[in-house]
Amino acid sequence: MQHTVSPIGIVHSCFKEKFAIPRQPRLAPAARGVLELLPPFDQGEAVAGLEQVSHVWLLFLFHQALEDKPRLKVRPPRLGGNKSVGVFATRATHRPNGIGQSVVRLEAVEPGRLLLSGIDLLDGTPVLDIKPYVPYADSIAEAHNRMAGDAPEAIAVQWSDNALLQARNHALRLGEPLIELIEQCLGQDPRPAYQVPPPERIYGVKFWDVQVRWQYPQPDRIRVLEVVPDQAQ
Ligand code: SAM
């Protein structure tokens, strides 16, 4: 059976590239975005009642990880990137039909758009459906996952004086919790697990419209060097 699905909305997110997006929602509560609903769902009617809900499930397309040939096994970063397991045992982006799901905080409901936080979605992600989180059904006290039971432990994020000042100024300009976003996302240690970071190597990522650059003075410690306007703007 074949069935065509089409997006009901597009996410405008703080994350402009895949690198340094947390591996699951809610790991960075300061990660915010707007889900713009597409016609005919941009009418207030489509979201009437949703203001009674604190969190929603988003079903979306991993539009930057779509593949023609399905994989049966994947190497999840959570397992260090060197152990392969069945694709259905993981939340990997490379999967049949390319469908992702994230439970995110619903900050506000407006006609035609939802304001979201705690997201793990790339800018431009097409959303296929929205469903309200239902605590009695979706929260399972006795649930376990022996591969990914607890949230990964965050590493320390330190700031150069200059970077902190720059981040404060950009946070004010953007009206966004940029310092928290940087600390929460870099604290997840975005570099590939198998990569031992040479202390001189500079890493960078774009959040909103700024480039954040950092080094690893020690493998488990990040130092933010600068937060500057993205040149590619
Ligand atoms: N919570 C979702 C799930 O379980 O289906 C996503 C989990 S997946 C492991 C999270 C990663 O997906 C993020 O770190 C980011 O790099 C990647 N990602 C987010 N949006 C994407 C998109 N639209 N296309 C491709 N990759 C995306």
Side-chain angles (χ1 to χ4, degrees):
M1 187 197 86
Q2 287 219 329
H3 177 65
T4 309
V5 293
S6 30
I8 55 91
I10 303 288
V11 172
H12 304 285
S13 155
C14 55
F15 297 122
K16 307 301 177 187
E17 50 190 285
K18 285 187 274 184
F19 183 52
I21 303 181
R23 294 192 189 125
Q24 284 302 337
R26 301 177 63 236
L27 293 172
R32 289 155 44 96
V34 174
L35 170 51
E36 178 199 348
L37 297 169
L38 298 174
F41 308 105
D42 56 344
Q43 312 290 314
E45 280 170 71
V47 290
L50 201 54
E51 69 288 344
Q52 297 175 63
V53 166
S54 65
H55 292 76
V56 286
W57 286 104
L58 300 180
L59 299 176
F60 60 92
L61 216 50
F62 286 117
H63 73 305
Q64 281 202 10
L66 296 174
E67 292 180 324
D68 292 335
K69 194 165 177 283
R71 299 184 191 197
L72 301 187
K73 294 194 110 181
V74 293
R75 296 171 192 273
R78 184 70 200 256
L79 300 182
N82 51 16
K83 191 173 172 219
S84 72
V85 287
V87 64
F88 299 126
T90 79
R91 303 281 282 260
T93 56
H94 295 287
R95 57 192 316 112
N97 298 313
I99 292 177
Q101 61 175 90
S102 293
V103 64
V104 301
R105 184 165 187 90
L106 182 56
E107 297 283 349
V109 181
E110 297 175 2
R113 43 185 241 151
L114 305 182
L115 276 48
L116 308 171
S117 67
I119 61 176
D120 59 347
L121 306 173
L122 185 63
D123 193 46
T125 295
V127 174
L128 304 175
D129 202 355
I130 305 164
K131 299 193 188 198
Y133 183 81
V134 177
Y136 78 83
D138 295 347
S139 166
I140 304 170
E142 74 276 18
H144 70 254
N145 178 332
R146 293 192 195 96
M147 268 186 291
D150 297 312
E153 210 170 302
I155 65 169
V157 178
Q158 298 169 338
W159 294 83
S160 72
D161 291 346
N162 192 33
L164 189 56
L165 193 65
Q166 292 169 330
R168 278 201 191 114
N169 288 337
H170 287 298
L172 281 174
R173 176 181 58 80
L174 292 163
E176 289 292 335
L178 183 64
I179 295 174
E180 293 82 351
L181 177 68
I182 293 170
E183 290 181 347
Q184 291 163 6
C185 294
L186 299 195
Q188 296 292 313
D189 194 0
R191 91 199 128 94
Y194 48 83
Q195 208 174 83
V196 179
E200 68 284 356
R201 177 163 175 183
I202 296 177
Y203 291 76
V205 74
K206 183 177 175 185
F207 291 148
W208 296 114
D209 60 359
V210 294
Q211 270 292 333
V212 182
R213 297 200 176 91
W214 71 92
Q215 282 175 319
Y216 290 83
Q218 293 154 26
D220 61 348
R221 195 164 292 272
I222 277 176
R223 182 169 169 78
V224 186
L225 301 174
E226 60 176 10
V227 179
V228 291
D230 184 60
Q231 295 299 335
Q233 292 290 314

